[in-house]
Amino acid sequence: MALIFETATPGLRTAPERADVACFVGFIARRREQPLPDAVRQQLREAGWVDGPWRQGTDALEALENVPVVIDSWALFDRLYAWDQRPVGRAPDPVSGKPMHCATYLGAAVRSFFARGGRRAVVVRVGDPWAFLESASARAAKRRARLGRLLPGFDHGAGVARVFDPLDPSTWQGIEHLAGLDEASLLCMPDLPDACSTEPRLPPVGVALAPPPEGFVECSEEESPLPVDTGLRALLAPRLDSQGYGPWRVAVAAVRGFLARHQREVLFIGALPLPREDARRPLSDGGVHAHSDMLAFLRRSGVFEADGQHGASELSVASAFVQLGYPWLNTTQARDLPENLEPPDGVLAGLLAGSALARGTHASAAGDISVPRLRDVQSAEPVPGWGAGPSSPAARLAERVCLFAPQAGGWALQSDVTTSADEAWRSGGVSRLMATLLRAARLRGQGVLFDGNGPATWSRLQRSFEDLLKGFWRAGALSGATPQEAFSVRCDRSTMTQNDIDNGRLVTEITVWPAHSIERITVVLALASAGVGRSDAREVA
């Protein structure tokens, strides 16, 4: 008799108000030698991808391309996806003669997500990764198509329409799968900076050897072998020139717009790309150093709104839906990446997910240097100069970007913020709190969609929301000495006109005072008799 062990796979459904699930969309290969586990196949069958109305062919299903897969462990991810098999270039290794490979940025992000507190993820594979050492002409020619895999419609020309039906999964591609992922709270696209970068810069002629760790130990016959130098440390991580920031900014703005229209309960967790020195020099006075005012550069280049401009243009990344991590991190696990640097979005998503599970999604994930999850961060590019006062370049950048910086005792996340130009939406905890409230409001509203639109239903819905908000207030998510000071709920004739009532529309107005906000914020939940619920709170700032 033989015993066969198989990694268990979670079901599709989880707690509806859970706020720690991340969706990863990007380029990664499928491990073809590994057959699709029965548990994963059953998961896809329950979602309708096997024999449902939007079923796929056998080959497409085995490839797991453009199919959302729920992952609850690094072991399952490692079994399904060849995350460590991205080709470096066409030339083989001069020493071994074998093709050179590095890790994918999607794989590194998922690895960091689980290592730093994440428990559940959804992976959408949009294609195989491209070779890291690719010519500038090849990258430029394929950039739009690659971004189109992540953001459908990005590769379409002006006037070319594309069909996307939020109720028809057969039309979904890339991030459009969020339309059917009600449990997802965070979105990561780790390949975005690399897809927008130009030709990778050649490494410097002389590369200093990494110094061995200091220390004196007794001689041992079982000493751990030194880490193998794969040569990846000499390859420079992707950096954007002035031409690269344009597509990246447009792509992030497209993500922001999609979330605002179709999934207001999700936050985009991205990595702020590293700039090339020649990208910032024309925008400064006589050139800048890597540690100078990055925020000023981003404003001048149009990534953020210009100084004194409160609102954001359509191509600005300033939004309550966006959190960007910076700088890129050198961790003990990043030896399989170029320059041994990983984008910070996977690390940030893991910290946010872990904080949501431990302290609530409203709590800031910044400032706790005692958390052992960051002790594997050895350095970063660039290393921000923290502690020089509130007017320092690093402190100014931390007002709009989730900044990692060294402190006494190790590296820590110094700021947990969105990129919003509106200070009321600047706190990352406030934005995540409102997203959680929107999800909770939608779920409670769906429970009365088919009830009579009258005072009895209004009172029942109002009590349900009041009980929900009291729980948030007791958890410290809302300010105020009493529940009456922390929030208010109205669902009566003052929130609806007679025309609303006659046409089956139910409108509930919820006003809350988040603990980390400078002003009260109002959520409006509108339910229609046709069974469609709509909740509005966050604006694209």
Side-chain angles (χ1 to χ4, degrees):
M1 180 178 67
L3 294 178
I4 299 176
F5 295 91
E6 184 172 288
T7 303
T9 304
L12 280 181
R13 300 302 175 188
T14 185
E17 295 175 10
R18 189 169 176 173
D20 66 295
V21 181
C23 176
F24 293 86
V25 182
F27 293 86
I28 195 170
R30 169 83 165 91
R31 290 200 192 277
R32 298 289 183 173
E33 71 278 6
Q34 292 287 345
L36 201 62
D38 292 339
V40 174
R41 189 177 298 275
Q42 179 60 30
Q43 174 198 136
L44 298 177
R45 179 175 288 108
E46 294 176 2
W49 296 105
V50 176
D51 48 17
W54 36 85
R55 61 182 177 274
Q56 297 194 355
T58 303
D59 293 340
L61 192 66
E62 283 289 337
L64 294 180
E65 185 168 348
N66 203 42
V67 173
V69 181
V70 179
I71 304 291
D72 71 339
S73 69
W74 170 251
L76 178 60
F77 179 83
D78 180 42
R79 177 176 180 179
L80 294 177
Y81 300 100
W83 61 273
D84 53 350
Q85 295 298 309
R86 180 185 184 182
V88 173
R90 294 183 178 180
D93 187 299
V95 178
S96 65
K98 298 180 180 180
M100 294 182 62
H101 293 91
C102 62
T104 60
Y105 285 119
L106 175 62
V110 174
R111 177 175 62 189
S112 289
F113 174 76
F114 282 111
R116 300 170 200 284
R119 301 286 184 83
R120 186 179 177 96
V122 181
V123 176
V124 180
R125 180 178 101 83
V126 299
D128 292 342
W130 58 90
F132 179 76
L133 292 178
E134 189 178 47
S135 67
S137 58
R139 281 180 174 263
K142 299 177 181 179
R143 176 186 293 167
R144 183 175 291 275
R146 288 165 179 167
L147 292 176
R149 293 282 191 93
L150 300 169
L151 302 162
F154 196 95
D155 54 341
H156 286 57
V160 178
R162 182 187 168 276
V163 176
F164 165 61
D165 185 351
L167 301 179
D168 183 4
S170 65
T171 67
W172 300 347
Q173 298 179 27
I175 67 168
E176 292 175 345
H177 282 279
L178 285 172
L181 299 176
D182 291 339
E183 66 174 351
S185 299
L186 309 173
L187 167 66
C188 291
M189 293 192 296
D191 297 300
L192 194 57
D194 192 21
C196 296
S197 67
T198 53
E199 183 178 13
R201 295 165 58 197
L202 296 176
V205 176
V207 179
L209 297 176
E214 296 182 1
F216 298 92
V217 296
E218 296 182 2
C219 295
S220 172
E221 296 180 357
E222 300 180 357
E223 291 183 357
S224 300
L226 294 175
V228 178
D229 185 2
T230 61
L232 296 175
R233 186 169 56 88
L235 298 179
L236 298 182
R239 285 165 171 79
L240 301 192
D241 60 7
S242 56
Q243 295 180 348
Y245 268 101
W248 178 81
R249 181 183 60 186
V250 173
V252 175
V255 174
R256 180 191 72 170
F258 178 85
L259 297 180
R261 291 189 302 270
H262 302 291
Q263 193 54 284
R264 301 179 71 87
E265 302 159 12
V266 176
L267 207 65
F268 174 57
I269 308 299
L272 181 62
L274 292 172
R276 285 176 50 162
E277 287 297 318
D278 55 356
R280 288 188 287 176
R281 188 169 295 114
L283 299 171
S284 62
D285 297 328
V288 294
H289 191 265
H291 299 167
S292 66
D293 196 339
M294 181 70 172
L295 182 58
F297 160 70
L298 294 172
R299 284 173 169 164
R300 293 176 182 177
S301 60
V303 174
F304 287 144
E305 74 288 346
D307 290 329
Q309 179 184 348
H310 180 72
S313 68
E314 293 182 357
L315 297 182
S316 172
V317 306
S319 171
F321 294 100
V322 177
Q323 287 192 261
L324 298 177
Y326 193 76
W328 288 39
L329 303 174
N330 173 260
T331 67
T332 56
Q333 299 296 321
R335 295 190 183 98
D336 52 9
L337 291 170
E339 206 173 341
N340 297 162
L341 293 175
E342 64 173 293
D345 45 359
V347 178
L348 180 58
L351 290 176
L352 295 179
S355 179
L357 291 171
R359 300 185 294 159
T361 189
H362 64 279
S364 174
D368 187 0
I369 64 173
S370 65
V371 178
R373 291 173 298 206
L374 290 182
R375 290 179 182 169
D376 66 332
V377 177
Q378 300 175 328
S379 184
E381 174 59 33
V383 177
W386 190 258
S391 61
S392 67
R396 289 196 298 268
L397 183 61
E399 295 176 358
R400 306 293 292 277
V401 174
C402 299
L403 191 70
F404 292 89
Q407 281 191 345
W411 283 75
L413 178 64
Q414 303 294 340
S415 58
D416 179 4
V417 295
T418 72
T419 61
S420 176
D422 188 344
E423 291 187 10
W425 293 102
R426 189 72 55 78
S427 167
V430 169
S431 192
R432 296 191 298 271
L433 170 64
M434 298 309 299
T436 304
L437 287 178
L438 288 176
R439 178 179 286 108
R442 175 176 53 80
L443 293 172
R444 279 160 173 75
Q446 290 174 352
V448 299
L449 277 175
F450 301 102
D451 294 348
N453 193 2
T457 300
W458 304 343
S459 298
R460 186 167 65 255
L461 188 60
Q462 179 171 332
R463 288 194 299 270
S464 176
F465 284 135
E466 288 174 345
D467 291 340
L468 169 71
L469 293 171
K470 285 180 182 178
F472 279 105
W473 173 73
R474 286 191 292 267
L478 302 178
S479 296
T482 64
Q484 291 74 22
E485 295 180 359
F487 63 84
S488 66
V489 181
R490 288 194 300 137
C491 185
D492 49 36
R493 289 187 176 272
S494 67
T495 63
M496 292 169 279
T497 65
Q498 187 60 46
N499 184 60
D500 290 329
I501 298 173
D502 293 341
N503 287 278
R505 289 190 294 269
L506 189 156
V507 180
T508 303
E509 183 178 288
I510 303 172
T511 301
V512 297
W513 190 354
H516 301 285
S517 180
I518 61 174
E519 60 185 52
R520 291 179 179 267
I521 298 174
T522 299
V523 181
V524 177
L525 174 68
L527 301 174
S529 58
V532 179
R534 181 180 64 86
S535 53
D536 294 317
R538 291 188 294 175
E539 297 181 358
V540 181

PDB file of all heavy atoms in Angstrom, residues 474-487:
ATOM      1  N   ARG A 474     -15.487  50.078  18.767  1.00  0.00           N
ATOM      2  CA  ARG A 474     -14.883  49.387  19.909  1.00  0.00           C
ATOM      3  C   ARG A 474     -13.481  48.893  19.582  1.00  0.00           C
ATOM      4  O   ARG A 474     -12.628  48.792  20.470  1.00  0.00           O
ATOM      5  CB  ARG A 474     -15.769  48.214  20.339  1.00  0.00           C
ATOM      6  CG  ARG A 474     -17.029  48.634  21.080  1.00  0.00           C
ATOM      7  CD  ARG A 474     -17.713  47.431  21.707  1.00  0.00           C
ATOM      8  NE  ARG A 474     -18.272  46.531  20.700  1.00  0.00           N
ATOM      9  CZ  ARG A 474     -19.524  46.592  20.257  1.00  0.00           C
ATOM     10  NH1 ARG A 474     -20.344  47.521  20.735  1.00  0.00           N
ATOM     11  NH2 ARG A 474     -19.954  45.738  19.351  1.00  0.00           N
ATOM     12  N   ALA A 475     -13.226  48.606  18.301  1.00  0.00           N
ATOM     13  CA  ALA A 475     -11.895  48.142  17.892  1.00  0.00           C
ATOM     14  C   ALA A 475     -10.906  49.290  17.722  1.00  0.00           C
ATOM     15  O   ALA A 475      -9.733  49.049  17.443  1.00  0.00           O
ATOM     16  CB  ALA A 475     -12.002  47.353  16.593  1.00  0.00           C
ATOM     17  N   GLY A 476     -11.370  50.527  17.883  1.00  0.00           N
ATOM     18  CA  GLY A 476     -10.489  51.682  17.765  1.00  0.00           C
ATOM     19  C   GLY A 476     -10.341  52.220  16.368  1.00  0.00           C
ATOM     20  O   GLY A 476      -9.491  53.082  16.114  1.00  0.00           O
ATOM     21  N   ALA A 477     -11.168  51.757  15.419  1.00  0.00           N
ATOM     22  CA  ALA A 477     -11.077  52.239  14.049  1.00  0.00           C
ATOM     23  C   ALA A 477     -11.723  53.605  13.874  1.00  0.00           C
ATOM     24  O   ALA A 477     -11.413  54.313  12.914  1.00  0.00           O
ATOM     25  CB  ALA A 477     -11.737  51.232  13.101  1.00  0.00           C
ATOM     26  N   LEU A 478     -12.615  53.978  14.789  1.00  0.00           N
ATOM     27  CA  LEU A 478     -13.334  55.247  14.676  1.00  0.00           C
ATOM     28  C   LEU A 478     -13.042  56.120  15.881  1.00  0.00           C
ATOM     29  O   LEU A 478     -12.879  55.631  17.001  1.00  0.00           O
ATOM     30  CB  LEU A 478     -14.838  54.996  14.559  1.00  0.00           C
ATOM     31  CG  LEU A 478     -15.306  54.116  13.391  1.00  0.00           C
ATOM     32  CD1 LEU A 478     -16.811  53.916  13.437  1.00  0.00           C
ATOM     33  CD2 LEU A 478     -14.881  54.725  12.061  1.00  0.00           C
ATOM     34  N   SER A 479     -13.003  57.429  15.663  1.00  0.00           N
ATOM     35  CA  SER A 479     -12.788  58.380  16.754  1.00  0.00           C
ATOM     36  C   SER A 479     -14.104  58.648  17.471  1.00  0.00           C
ATOM     37  O   SER A 479     -15.178  58.255  17.022  1.00  0.00           O
ATOM     38  CB  SER A 479     -12.211  59.685  16.201  1.00  0.00           C
ATOM     39  OG  SER A 479     -10.943  59.484  15.634  1.00  0.00           O
ATOM     40  N   GLY A 480     -13.995  59.382  18.575  1.00  0.00           N
ATOM     41  CA  GLY A 480     -15.184  59.749  19.321  1.00  0.00           C
ATOM     42  C   GLY A 480     -15.261  59.044  20.653  1.00  0.00           C
ATOM     43  O   GLY A 480     -14.946  57.856  20.761  1.00  0.00           O
ATOM     44  N   ALA A 481     -15.712  59.798  21.677  1.00  0.00           N
ATOM     45  CA  ALA A 481     -15.843  59.219  23.010  1.00  0.00           C
ATOM     46  C   ALA A 481     -17.038  58.288  23.104  1.00  0.00           C
ATOM     47  O   ALA A 481     -17.077  57.395  23.956  1.00  0.00           O
ATOM     48  CB  ALA A 481     -15.954  60.334  24.058  1.00  0.00           C
ATOM     49  N   THR A 482     -18.015  58.485  22.237  1.00  0.00           N
ATOM     50  CA  THR A 482     -19.219  57.658  22.224  1.00  0.00           C
ATOM     51  C   THR A 482     -19.512  57.255  20.784  1.00  0.00           C
ATOM     52  O   THR A 482     -19.032  57.890  19.831  1.00  0.00           O
ATOM     53  CB  THR A 482     -20.420  58.425  22.794  1.00  0.00           C
ATOM     54  OG1 THR A 482     -20.716  59.543  21.928  1.00  0.00           O
ATOM     55  CG2 THR A 482     -20.133  58.915  24.214  1.00  0.00           C
ATOM     56  N   PRO A 483     -20.331  56.215  20.594  1.00  0.00           N
ATOM     57  CA  PRO A 483     -20.705  55.849  19.214  1.00  0.00           C
ATOM     58  C   PRO A 483     -21.380  56.999  18.473  1.00  0.00           C
ATOM     59  O   PRO A 483     -21.207  57.135  17.260  1.00  0.00           O
ATOM     60  CB  PRO A 483     -21.657  54.665  19.415  1.00  0.00           C
ATOM     61  CG  PRO A 483     -21.239  54.062  20.725  1.00  0.00           C
ATOM     62  CD  PRO A 483     -20.826  55.230  21.575  1.00  0.00           C
ATOM     63  N   GLN A 484     -22.146  57.818  19.192  1.00  0.00           N
ATOM     64  CA  GLN A 484     -22.830  58.944  18.542  1.00  0.00           C
ATOM     65  C   GLN A 484     -21.840  59.943  17.965  1.00  0.00           C
ATOM     66  O   GLN A 484     -22.122  60.596  16.947  1.00  0.00           O
ATOM     67  CB  GLN A 484     -23.769  59.632  19.533  1.00  0.00           C
ATOM     68  CG  GLN A 484     -24.978  58.797  19.936  1.00  0.00           C
ATOM     69  CD  GLN A 484     -24.630  57.666  20.891  1.00  0.00           C
ATOM     70  OE1 GLN A 484     -23.600  57.719  21.583  1.00  0.00           O
ATOM     71  NE2 GLN A 484     -25.474  56.646  20.943  1.00  0.00           N
ATOM     72  N   GLU A 485     -20.676  60.094  18.608  1.00  0.00           N
ATOM     73  CA  GLU A 485     -19.653  60.996  18.093  1.00  0.00           C
ATOM     74  C   GLU A 485     -18.838  60.362  16.965  1.00  0.00           C
ATOM     75  O   GLU A 485     -18.215  61.077  16.185  1.00  0.00           O
ATOM     76  CB  GLU A 485     -18.708  61.407  19.225  1.00  0.00           C
ATOM     77  CG  GLU A 485     -19.370  62.226  20.328  1.00  0.00           C
ATOM     78  CD  GLU A 485     -18.379  62.590  21.419  1.00  0.00           C
ATOM     79  OE1 GLU A 485     -17.203  62.178  21.302  1.00  0.00           O
ATOM     80  OE2 GLU A 485     -18.769  63.261  22.380  1.00  0.00           O
ATOM     81  N   ALA A 486     -18.841  59.035  16.889  1.00  0.00           N
ATOM     82  CA  ALA A 486     -17.999  58.333  15.927  1.00  0.00           C
ATOM     83  C   ALA A 486     -18.681  58.143  14.578  1.00  0.00           C
ATOM     84  O   ALA A 486     -18.008  58.120  13.544  1.00  0.00           O
ATOM     85  CB  ALA A 486     -17.574  56.980  16.483  1.00  0.00           C
ATOM     86  N   PHE A 487     -20.005  58.005  14.562  1.00  0.00           N
ATOM     87  CA  PHE A 487     -20.684  57.726  13.298  1.00  0.00           C
ATOM     88  C   PHE A 487     -22.159  58.076  13.411  1.00  0.00           C
ATOM     89  O   PHE A 487     -22.702  58.294  14.503  1.00  0.00           O
ATOM     90  CB  PHE A 487     -20.541  56.239  12.927  1.00  0.00           C
ATOM     91  CG  PHE A 487     -21.185  55.291  13.900  1.00  0.00           C
ATOM     92  CD1 PHE A 487     -22.547  54.988  13.828  1.00  0.00           C
ATOM     93  CD2 PHE A 487     -20.442  54.696  14.916  1.00  0.00           C
ATOM     94  CE1 PHE A 487     -23.136  54.120  14.716  1.00  0.00           C
ATOM     95  CE2 PHE A 487     -21.032  53.830  15.829  1.00  0.00           C
ATOM     96  CZ  PHE A 487     -22.380  53.537  15.725  1.00  0.00           C
TER      97      PHE A 487
END
